[in-house]
Amino acid sequence: MSVYLDYAATTPLRKEVFDCYVEHLQTLGNPSSVHSSGQLVRRALEEARESLAKSVDCNRSEVIFTSGGTESDNLAIKGLFWQRVAEDAKRTVIISAATEHHASIDPMEWLEKHDGAEILWLPVDDQGAVDLLFLEQYLSANHSKVALINLMWANNETGVITDIEKVVTLARPYEIPVHSDAIAAFGHIPISFSESGLAAMSISAHKIGGPVGAGALIVSRATKLVSIIHGGGQERGMRSGTMNAPVAKAFALAAELAIAELSEEYSRLEALRNKLVQGVKEITPLARLTAELSPRMPHNAHFSFDGCSGDSLLFLLDQQGVCVSVGSACQAGVNGPSHVLVAMGRTPSQANGCIRMTLGKQSTEADVDAFLHALPKALDGALRAGMTG
Ligand SMILES: Cc1ncc(COP(=O)(O)O)c(C=O)c1O
């Protein structure tokens, strides 16, 4: 059995969630059909919506089910941009940061290339913190040009948390909608959509023990956006296509369990993570904990190791049965330095020498011990291979 330290990439499907998913897969009916079979499935779907709304702290009508985090980010960014430009053609600026996930960066760059958007990349410091003073000053001089602000709640690579409430406070006087990708944060730290003041927020099921291919965009009732998929007009007209009730049920249950266990898991995983960080520092002076001074997610430890490549380390740890990651799994197979670390001012070579360990529900002390046991041999091999691994 391998030791899995890559919960930020994806998590095991929880047994209760699997059972719920399978049970609902066996029910026949299209939730839009008016006959009783359809209405049975509709009821399951609406129960899932109600339950997910409780977990997110929003109104049930604000939950738009999607096929996952990438679709939610695309719908929020393109949908808000198109809506705002339709209302006022001068509003072409999207404010964001280069540390965002590619599920956000790529739709923004697509709009820049094909649809007249201009992106303002906010400065990011070496601790991964987005410069909110710069944002404040920019908004005060340029608010009439801004379509939307897009900033993630927590970074999936470094675990750095952004002060989203502050961002919303800065945007509110100018009525600029803010979307936040909360995919790396939801289920791990307390989040209330209604208190956040966000216009939209993306979440994904497979990061919290739910199935892959399930997500939601939470869209406040006051927010309008243009759909990117056209068809039957389901999900308040924002996301056409037959709704997937079994997946929605499974997602809602995973969220309910994650929220019920959040405070206990927060402390448990933070203690495990701190043990891992301390252990790595004792093994080698070459280890540098990323964004040590920033508020960070409790289950994330991201290190750079001078003089060796993250790919070599990953490979040599994997050979010993330990799964870690070099960055975002969504870019698997793409070689090159992490764009997040480069945005934080690291050289490409430094940005290549990183690994990320992320913990979750099934993580134990034995997992951390196994990682710390495997690390010296992996480091030794990676250092001998140098930066070429
Ligand atoms: C911060 C963040 N945004 C978006 C995504 C994409 O989500 P999904 O895999 O559900 O499409 C991920 C997944 O790695 C993520 O970590």
Side-chain angles (χ1 to χ4, degrees), residues 9-135:
T10 197
T11 57
L13 189 64
R14 293 182 64 149
K15 172 78 173 77
E16 311 89 311
V17 175
F18 174 81
D19 290 344
C20 163
Y21 189 21
V22 170
E23 181 197 327
H24 285 89
L25 275 173
Q26 288 160 343
T27 315
L28 169 68
N30 183 320
S32 298
S33 297
V34 286
H35 52 62
S36 47
S37 290
Q39 287 313 295
L40 205 63
V41 177
R42 164 66 76 171
R43 196 179 318 145
L45 179 77
E46 293 313 323
E47 280 166 10
R49 197 186 307 282
E50 183 88 47
S51 158
L52 191 60
K54 263 201 201 109
S55 299
V56 175
D57 188 24
C58 68
N59 188 280
R60 57 195 296 286
S61 67
E62 295 175 321
V63 176
I64 307 296
F65 286 112
T66 67
S67 68
T70 302
E71 186 189 330
S72 299
D73 281 342
N74 270 264
L75 174 56
I77 293 164
K78 292 176 182 162
L80 284 170
F81 179 80
W82 287 330
Q83 179 71 35
R84 296 273 286 168
V85 167
E87 288 165 5
D88 179 352
K90 290 192 304 300
R91 291 192 177 275
T92 52
V93 175
I94 302 175
I95 301 179
S96 193
T99 42
E100 290 290 306
H101 191 277
H102 270 282
S104 277
I105 291 180
D106 288 29
M108 291 190 288
E109 291 187 338
W110 187 90
L111 289 170
E112 184 180 45
K113 191 162 173 207
H114 300 281
D115 235 345
E118 296 161 67
I119 308 172
L120 174 78
W121 300 106
L122 292 171
V124 176
D125 70 14
D126 64 352
Q127 296 298 310
V130 176
D131 189 341
L132 298 187
L133 187 61
F134 188 99
L135 173 63

Side-chain angles (χ1 to χ4, degrees), residues 8-9 67-71 73 101 103 152 154-156 181 183-184 204-207 213-214 328-330:
S67 68
T70 302
E71 186 189 330
D73 281 342
H101 191 277
M152 69 202 313
N155 187 277
N156 53 300
D181 172 337
I183 290 160
S204 173
H206 74 107
K207 308 293 183 178
S328 173
C330 306

